[in-house]
Amino acid sequence: GQNIDQPTEMTATEGAIVQINCTYQTSGFNGLFWYQQHAGEAPTFLSYNVLDGLEEKGRFSSFLSRSKGYSYLLLKELQMKDSASYLCAAMDSNYQLIWGAGTKLIIKP
Amino acid sequence: GAVVSQHPSWVICKSGTSVKIECRSLDFQATTMFWYRQFPKQSLMLMATSNEGSKATYEQGVEKDKFLINHASLTLSTLTVTSAHPEDSSFYICSATGLSGNTEAFFGQGTRLTVV
């Protein structure tokens, strides 16, 4: 079956760095997405990885290892506004997104 | 980036009535649109996948006759919740992908439906 695993909740301190991990199992693979979702709002696209390696975009970076079925989202210089849920989603061979349950990130001053 | 517009943003309706939610791709042709539902504190749940000009593919457990999906053009898909009940109250989100399937999915703003 198809499955995405990510931690349910994480806590970090303002100004620090946090890494949110995601493992996936899908029928075929067409990329790994990370989305940010604030409560009551639609998800916002953060990153897309289809090749192995690290993609850096400002304070956010995303890493992918296809052989390990593993990705992580790295958030640097955390700000209070980064408190949100972070959703990992893998695209299968039919171009459908398989969603993780999301990781609730709590930022403390 | 590409824009997907979803309307309405929120709607309150009486139990037993029907509600239509529109999802439009404003600057690209969306061959595939996805409809999701999200209950509070839960992840997105895919309801159905619709391809332009063909019938939608519904996920297991989603009632086809209750959640009517129409994808008549490359820029518009609609979800109609028929005979709505309080348990249908949820956040509904659409997303669309363009002609080259392995690109990011663009999301609408979401619609918060409250059935009273």
Side-chain angles (χ1 to χ4, degrees):
Chain A
Q2 307 201 101
N3 190 52
I4 306 285
D5 284 317
Q6 56 182 126
T8 305
E9 186 174 296
M10 298 182 72
T11 302
T13 305
E14 190 177 14
I17 299 173
V18 70
Q19 177 175 312
I20 304 174
N21 296 323
C22 170
T23 57
Y24 65 90
Q25 289 179 303
T26 55
S27 301
F29 180 73
N30 277 303
L32 193 291
F33 298 81
W34 283 96
Y35 287 86
Q36 180 192 60
Q37 186 180 27
H38 287 100
E41 299 179 11
T44 303
F45 171 79
L46 289 178
S47 67
Y48 170 69
N49 294 65
V50 68
L51 299 176
D52 287 352
L54 185 69
E55 296 273 348
E56 296 187 72
K57 192 183 293 185
R59 294 190 298 115
F60 293 5
S61 302
S62 57
F63 171 83
L64 176 68
S65 170
R66 295 181 63 151
S67 62
K68 295 182 180 179
Y70 167 70
S71 173
Y72 67 73
L73 179 69
L74 190 71
L75 293 78
K76 302 177 184 176
E77 301 170 16
L78 286 170
Q79 302 174 10
M80 297 304 292
K81 67 178 181 179
D82 297 329
S83 292
S85 285
Y86 290 85
L87 302 169
C88 170
M91 183 172 274
D92 67 11
S93 56
N94 293 319
Y95 297 106
Q96 284 206 2
L97 286 175
I98 312 301
W99 292 91
T103 298
K104 183 178 180 181
L105 178 63
I106 300 169
I107 309 296
K108 295 185 175 181
Chain B
V3 177
V4 173
S5 178
Q6 184 175 342
H7 293 282
S9 299
W10 59 271
V11 58
I12 301 174
C13 70
K14 291 185 178 180
S15 187
T17 61
S18 295
V19 174
K20 179 184 283 188
I21 302 170
E22 291 189 350
C23 183
R24 293 180 184 273
S25 57
L26 299 185
D27 53 1
F28 70 104
Q29 293 182 322
T31 51
T32 304
M33 285 192 174
F34 304 93
W35 287 96
Y36 298 87
R37 179 168 56 184
Q38 186 179 36
F39 292 106
K41 299 183 180 181
Q42 295 185 24
S43 183
L44 294 173
M45 292 174 47
L46 180 64
M47 298 175 66
T49 303
S50 73
N51 294 296
E52 184 265 340
S54 62
K55 290 184 178 180
T57 302
Y58 289 80
E59 296 299 301
Q60 193 172 7
V62 178
E63 299 175 59
K64 301 178 183 181
D65 295 332
K66 181 169 184 61
F67 298 99
L68 301 179
I69 292 173
N70 183 281
H71 192 168
S73 76
L74 284 171
T75 59
L76 174 65
S77 177
T78 60
L79 166 68
T80 302
V81 182
T82 62
S83 186
H85 291 287
E87 57 264 31
D88 297 324
S89 298
S90 187
F91 194 50
Y92 293 87
I93 306 174
C94 70
S95 74
T97 58
L99 293 174
S100 52
N102 59 337
T103 60
E104 65 184 277
F106 302 101
F107 284 89
Q109 301 94 322
T111 299
R112 183 163 300 284
L113 170 64
T114 302
V115 184
V116 297

